[in-house]
Amino acid sequence: MQPQNKKRSAVKTVLRVTLWAAVALTLLFAAAVVVMHFIDWRQYANTIAEVVKEQTGRRLEIGGPVKVGIFPARVLIDDVTFANAPGGSSDVMVKVKRVGARFKLADLIRGKLALSIDLSEPDVLLETVASGEKNWSLSIELPAKLGFAQLNVTGGQVVFREYPSGNAWRLAVAKLMIRERLTGGYAGRLEANLNDILVKLDGDVRPAEDTAGKKKTLSIDGQADISGAKLKFEGLALKDTEGPIVKGNIRADIKDLQGLGKLFQASLPALPPIMFAADVAASGQLINVDDLKFSMGKSSLTGKFETDMGAKRPKIKGTISAKLIDIAELKGSGKKVVVKTEVSGADGRLIPTQSLAIPPLDMADINLTISIEKLLAARNLTIQNLQTNVVLAGGRLSLKPLKMHIAGADFNFKGDAEGLGRKNAKISASLKASGIDLGELLKTVSGKEDLKGGRTVVVADLQASGRSPAKLASTLKGHVRVSVGPGQVYNRNLDDLLGDVFAGVINTIDPF
C-alpha cells in the first residue's frame, strides 16, 4: 500500500473513533438527564434537613421542588425555611424563595468543591433571644474541601433586632455579589437601603506581602457611600501569634450630617461639610490612631491617640492641636435655644435641688493634651492660645491647668472633680487672671462700648461638694478677689436717668 493511502486510512480511523466517542458521550449525557429527571431528589433534601437538625437542633424545611442540572452542574431548591432559636420573636430565622448552587464537574474530579450560591429574596432575622443566645450562633462543621466561589443575592432583607430595647434595623438588599478573584482573595459589592437610607459598599480583599515583617497578609480596599457620606479604607490585615493585626488609612467625607443621622434614628444639627482622615493600627486590644486630620467648615484640628482596651478600665491617651475652632460652627444650625430670664428648678427654687445628670466617670482613664491657637466662642468672644491637659483617672477629673489669653489678659485655671455622678462629688477650682481690659471684654461680648479701661484682676479659690446645684451652693467655700482699676462708663440711658447727680457722686468717689 502506498504511503498516501496509509495516511488516508489513518485519518478515517481517527474520524470514526471520534464520531463514535461523541455519540457515546451524547448517549451517556442523554441517559443521565433522563435518569436525573426520574430521581426523587427530595429524599436527598430530606437527608440534608436531618443532618442540619442533628448539628443545630433547629428545623430546616424545603417546601418547593428540588431540581438538578448537569450543564451547567447546578441544584435549585424552592421555598426554604430555617427555624429560629427558642424564645425568638419569630419562629423563622431564615426564609428564602429560591436557593441555587452551581459547581464545576472538574472540581469534583479533583476532590474539591467550590460552590457558587444564588439566593433569591432571602428574609433573614438576626436577634438576641430572651435566654441571651444570639440566634446566629451555630455550630456547623463544613467539609474541609468545601469552598465558595461566588455568592449572589437578589432582593430580600436582613432585620437586626436589638435586645432588650426591641429597636429594629432593616437592610433591604437590592443586590449583593461576592466573588472569588482569579489571583486569590474576594471582591464584593452591595446595593441596599438601611432604614430607608441608600447604602453602597465596594470591597476587595486579596493576598499581599507585608514588606516590613515579611509575612503573608491580606490587602483590604473598601469604600462605602451611605446617604452621601463617603467612607474609604485602604490597608493590610494579617494574623499574628498574638491575634489579628489591621493597619491602614481611613477617610470619611460627610456632606450632610442630618441625612446620616436618619441612619442612627437620631436628630443631628445641620453642619458644614466634615472631613476625617487617620492612619489606624489595631493589634489585639491596642488601637493606635496617628496623623489624625479633622475639618468642618473653617474649623480644623490634628492629633493622635493610643487606646488600650485590655486594661481594667480602657486607657486613652492622645493629643489634639488646632489652629482655629469656631464653636458656633460646631453647634450647627437648627432649632433656636430659648434662654429663659428666670432660672429655677422644677420645684420653683432659684437654685435647683435635683441631682445633676452626670454619669459616673470611672469607666475609662483618659489623658488628653489640647492646644488651640484661636477659639471663637459665643458672643464673638475670642480665646487665644488655649492649652490644657485633661486627666481622668479612677473617676477623678482634673485640668492641669487650663491656660488661655482673653481680652489682653492671661487666664490660669485649675480644676479638680472627684466622684462626679456619685452622691458625694467633690469639686475644687482656682483661677488667676490679671491685666483684664474689662472695657474691651464687655465690648467684645455685648458689642457696645459702655466702658473704657477698667483693668481687672481676679483671684479665686473655691471648693464644694454634693450632687445637686443647691447642695454645691450650700457647701461652697473659699475666697474670691476682684480688683477693678480706673475706667470710664459711656451709657446715655444712665446719664438721662440719673443726670449730673450720679456723675457728681461718681466723680467724687473716683476722679478717674
Side-chain angles (χ1 to χ4, degrees), residues 356-379:
L356 295 172
I358 301 176
L361 300 181
D362 54 359
M363 304 300 292
D365 290 343
I366 301 174
N367 190 322
L368 189 62
T369 301
I370 302 175
S371 175
I372 303 174
E373 291 186 16
K374 190 175 183 179
L375 177 65
L376 301 180
R379 297 182 178 271

Side-chain angles (χ1 to χ4, degrees), residues 80-408:
V80 179
T81 59
F82 181 64
N84 198 7
S89 60
S90 173
D91 294 335
V92 178
M93 175 183 169
V94 180
K95 184 175 183 180
V96 187
K97 183 178 181 180
R98 168 169 285 189
V99 178
R102 294 175 284 113
F103 55 92
K104 297 179 181 179
L105 293 175
D107 289 342
L108 291 177
I109 298 175
R110 291 194 294 263
K112 182 179 180 180
L113 185 62
L115 295 177
S116 293
I117 307 296
D118 300 311
L119 302 179
S120 178
E121 300 182 19
D123 191 345
V124 182
L125 172 63
L126 303 178
E127 63 178 350
T128 302
V129 299
S131 63
E133 175 189 1
K134 296 177 176 60
N135 70 340
W136 62 86
S137 299
L138 301 170
S139 57
I140 299 178
E141 297 182 4
L142 297 176
K145 295 184 178 181
L146 178 63
F148 294 92
Q150 189 168 332
L151 171 65
N152 290 300
V153 179
T154 305
Q157 68 174 6
V158 178
V159 176
F160 174 75
R161 184 169 285 110
E162 293 180 344
Y163 178 84
S165 66
N167 295 333
W169 296 69
R170 178 178 178 270
L171 181 68
V173 179
K175 185 178 181 180
L176 170 63
M177 185 276 295
I178 302 175
R179 62 177 179 82
E180 187 177 18
R181 294 167 48 92
L182 295 177
T183 56
Y186 288 87
R189 180 176 179 82
L190 170 66
E191 297 179 5
N193 279 276
L194 180 57
N195 287 354
D196 297 326
I197 299 297
L198 181 63
V199 176
K200 292 183 179 180
L201 304 178
D202 284 284
D204 191 89
V205 180
R206 56 190 181 278
E209 183 76 18
D210 184 1
T211 55
K214 301 296 183 181
K215 299 176 182 178
K216 291 184 178 180
T217 183
L218 295 176
S219 174
I220 303 175
D221 185 359
Q223 56 186 4
D225 189 336
I226 306 174
S227 186
K230 298 185 182 298
L231 311 175
K232 188 173 183 179
F233 177 81
E234 293 180 346
L236 301 173
L238 60 91
K239 188 174 182 180
D240 195 56
T241 55
E242 298 181 357
I245 298 175
V246 178
K247 56 183 178 180
N249 178 265
I250 185 171
R251 179 185 175 96
D253 292 280
I254 304 173
K255 293 183 178 180
D256 183 10
L257 187 64
Q258 287 184 318
L260 191 62
K262 297 178 182 178
L263 176 65
F264 303 99
Q265 303 175 5
S267 178
L268 300 178
L271 297 175
I274 299 173
M275 188 283 295
F276 171 88
D279 293 331
V280 181
S283 176
Q285 301 291 334
L286 302 177
I287 302 175
N288 291 329
V289 178
D290 291 316
D291 197 19
L292 168 65
K293 297 177 182 178
F294 174 87
S295 67
M296 188 178 71
K298 299 188 296 291
S299 303
S300 64
L301 59 84
T302 60
K304 62 179 182 179
F305 294 91
E306 299 176 1
T307 304
D308 184 2
M309 302 300 295
K312 182 179 180 180
R313 288 187 300 268
K315 294 183 177 180
I316 303 173
K317 183 179 181 180
T319 60
I320 295 177
S321 300
K323 291 185 176 297
L324 174 65
I325 298 294
D326 189 342
I327 297 297
E329 201 172 43
L330 294 177
K331 291 171 62 178
S333 61
K335 295 182 179 180
K336 294 183 178 180
V337 179
V338 179
V339 180
K340 297 182 179 180
T341 57
E342 181 179 343
V343 181
S344 62
D347 53 4
R349 298 188 180 186
L350 182 63
I351 302 179
T353 58
Q354 290 80 15
S355 298
L356 295 172
I358 301 176
L361 300 181
D362 54 359
M363 304 300 292
D365 290 343
I366 301 174
N367 190 322
L368 189 62
T369 301
I370 302 175
S371 175
I372 303 174
E373 291 186 16
K374 190 175 183 179
L375 177 65
L376 301 180
R379 297 182 178 271
N380 299 320
L381 179 63
T382 301
I383 301 174
Q384 295 178 323
N385 299 327
L386 185 150
Q387 295 181 350
T388 187
N389 182 221
V390 182
V391 178
L392 176 62
R396 183 172 183 174
L397 178 64
S398 302
L399 296 178
K400 299 182 176 180
L402 171 61
K403 297 180 179 180
M404 52 189 171
H405 189 78
I406 305 175

